Amino acid sequence: AGSHAATIQYQHITWPGRSNLRIHYASARPASSDATPIVFLPGFGVGTFHFSKQLEALGEERPAYALDWLGQGESWPEDEAAEQGLRYDADLWTDQLEAFCDEVLGGEPVILAGNSLGGFLGTQLALRRGDLVRGLALMNATPLWSFVAPIDEEDAFRPFGWDATLPAPAIPYAIGSRWFDTLRNP
């Protein structure tokens, strides 16, 4: 790496085929490089800011990206109508990662570096679309999200009777809001 950190750019795209869902990502890249891009995948409750130092350092030698999962960081539905019936789960976020790789990175193979939930989602994409993944680095990857029952499974355990579709009922909303506010402002 050179003596200067790469400059991080922050951008948004509208999720192709899903109007009113805005996806935020950060990128840093050298003026030219044939190196395989790397995409950093955050854990639950954090976002692109979690990988600023990695983007600055690796962006000197290769295209480097990080994205916010829908419903976290700066990736949010643009209005309440777009959020109705949306289910924040591993399937949605894996779909998001696939769309990001296809649309922003042109469907070229990338290295995925996933922390916690990001590691699980990176693994899911590698299983689904191996053509998009040249390498996979797992950092404290967790299978937690694999335990969320499919929406059509009638006998599944559902805390507070909630199936994870939005809008959330009052109790899960209050608990989630407080928890995320605590994570964002320790």
Side-chain angles (χ1 to χ4, degrees):
S3 60
H4 300 290
T7 301
I8 298 174
Q9 296 180 338
Y10 298 94
Q11 299 165 280
H12 291 89
I13 62 166
T14 299
W15 189 340
R18 294 189 176 220
S19 62
N20 298 326
L21 297 180
R22 186 181 69 182
I23 306 305
H24 173 78
Y25 68 97
S27 64
R29 35 185 156 341
S32 69
S33 174
D34 291 333
T36 301
I38 187 166
V39 180
F40 290 97
L41 310 174
F44 189 76
V46 294
T48 56
F49 67 88
H50 190 73
F51 295 110
S52 295
K53 291 192 184 301
Q54 290 82 0
L55 293 175
E56 290 172 346
L58 291 175
E60 293 180 54
E61 61 189 48
R62 71 178 61 244
Y65 299 84
L67 68 139
D68 288 342
W69 302 121
L70 189 62
Q72 300 178 45
E74 293 187 39
S75 291
W76 289 91
E78 293 181 9
D79 54 42
E80 286 186 28
E83 195 169 51
Q84 291 297 316
L86 193 61
R87 185 171 192 223
Y88 294 113
D89 63 9
D91 292 331
L92 175 76
W93 293 321
T94 303
D95 291 347
Q96 175 190 344
L97 178 57
E98 182 178 7
F100 178 83
C101 289
D102 281 335
E103 295 299 318
V104 174
L105 305 174
E108 295 297 320
V110 300
I111 298 166
L112 299 176
N115 180 51
S116 188
L117 170 64
F120 176 73
L121 298 173
T123 302
Q124 291 295 100
L125 182 64
L127 291 169
R128 178 191 296 179
R129 292 277 313 271
D131 62 302
L132 292 177
V133 182
R134 176 159 293 150
L136 182 62
L138 304 177
M139 302 172 282
N140 194 31
T142 177
L144 173 68
W145 291 95
S146 66
F147 299 117
V148 176
I151 198 164
D152 58 354
E153 191 173 309
E154 293 180 22
D155 296 332
F157 171 70
R158 305 218 185 272
F160 308 104
W162 183 39
D163 66 2
T165 55
L166 296 175
I171 293 174
Y173 180 82
I175 293 169
S177 295
R178 186 166 180 86
W179 186 57
F180 280 116
D181 288 343
T182 301
L183 285 176
R184 283 191 291 263
N185 303 304

